[in-house]
Amino acid sequence: MTASLSSSHRPTEPRTADHRALERAGLRPLPPVPPRAPLHLVAAEGQLQVHTAPYRGSFSNVLSQALRAAGLGSRVLVVQFLKGGVDQGPERRLTLCGRLGWLRPAVSTCLDGPAADQGQAVQEAVEEVWQVCRRELLAGKLDQLVLDELGLAIALGYLSEEEVRATLERRPGSVDVIVTGPSIPEFLMGLADQVTELRRGF
């Protein structure tokens, strides 16, 4: 058996009944909430991170993070300014995971003395590596740039502090820059969003 209700027999709308109950209790309904604009996604903001230690060789943890980032699709460049021994240079940079470039200067040994004690060719090899990473950073070609022993390269006279500072201040906002090693200049500490200090080696 079916039945239909005429308009005079339709049940009271729940919202109207609620309003009447509120009025009997001496309460007023809440005003309607105006619609809000949808949330907007914010573009990722790159950070300048410093990983420092009182000794050389605090690099392996940062390298593993860089490899992971490249494996997940980020464009990464790792630059080791004072590590040599493989006579690499910009023309023979390594590529790992398809997206991680690894660059060392074209020198026959690791550098640990002042630039003034080295030949002109050694100084030019370090400067050439810096110019490559500077160009790629400012061109916005990278998601992450790792600068190993950048502070030590400045302290030993291989790189100009003024030029490094000007470059990092102009870096694109989406790029993560990670500086590693001992002897971090004061201006880098001032620019850093995050500083991690390793107190001792194991």
Side-chain angles (χ1 to χ4, degrees):
M1 176 175 156
T2 60
S4 63
L5 296 173
S6 67
S7 58
S8 61
H9 291 89
R10 292 184 185 278
T12 307
E13 292 182 10
R15 190 165 181 272
T16 304
D18 289 343
H19 284 184
R20 288 177 181 164
L22 288 171
E23 288 171 2
R24 283 195 302 272
L27 301 173
R28 289 180 301 186
L30 293 173
V33 178
R36 294 182 179 179
L39 295 176
H40 295 285
L41 294 178
V42 177
E45 183 81 18
Q47 290 191 336
L48 194 153
Q49 302 174 32
V50 170
H51 290 253
T52 186
Y55 53 88
R56 298 179 74 177
S58 57
F59 176 65
S60 57
N61 186 41
V62 173
L63 177 59
S64 66
Q65 293 176 29
L67 283 166
R68 188 180 304 114
L72 293 172
S74 295
R75 297 161 300 175
V76 181
L77 177 61
V78 175
V79 181
Q80 293 184 283
F81 291 103
L82 303 180
K83 297 291 195 301
V86 292
D87 197 26
Q88 189 187 76
E91 302 303 321
R92 294 185 291 277
R93 78 167 79 179
L94 297 177
T95 301
L96 306 173
C97 303
R99 284 182 168 258
L100 185 145
W102 193 345
L103 183 56
R104 291 179 171 187
V107 295
S108 59
T109 185
C110 292
L111 305 174
D112 56 8
D117 295 345
Q118 305 293 332
Q120 186 68 24
V122 172
Q123 296 181 42
E124 289 176 356
V126 176
E127 176 67 23
E128 185 181 25
V129 165
W130 162 249
Q131 292 302 327
V132 169
C133 72
R134 179 180 179 276
R135 282 195 303 270
E136 294 197 14
L137 173 64
L138 295 180
K141 295 182 177 180
L142 302 170
D143 299 307
Q144 186 179 105
L145 174 63
V146 178
L147 303 172
D148 182 43
E149 297 189 332
L150 174 67
L152 198 55
I154 293 171
L156 294 175
Y158 291 96
L159 300 177
S160 160
E161 179 175 320
E162 291 74 20
E163 184 177 348
V164 171
R165 181 205 300 259
T167 300
L168 292 179
E169 287 175 344
R170 293 172 51 207
R171 70 190 188 278
S174 60
V175 182
D176 284 320
V177 177
I178 303 174
V179 178
T180 70
S183 188
I184 302 296
E186 210 172 302
F187 83 88
L188 267 176
M189 288 296 199
L191 287 175
D193 299 293
Q194 175 183 324
V195 176
T196 302
E197 181 183 5
L198 300 178
R199 298 286 178 86
R200 60 195 177 105
F202 296 96

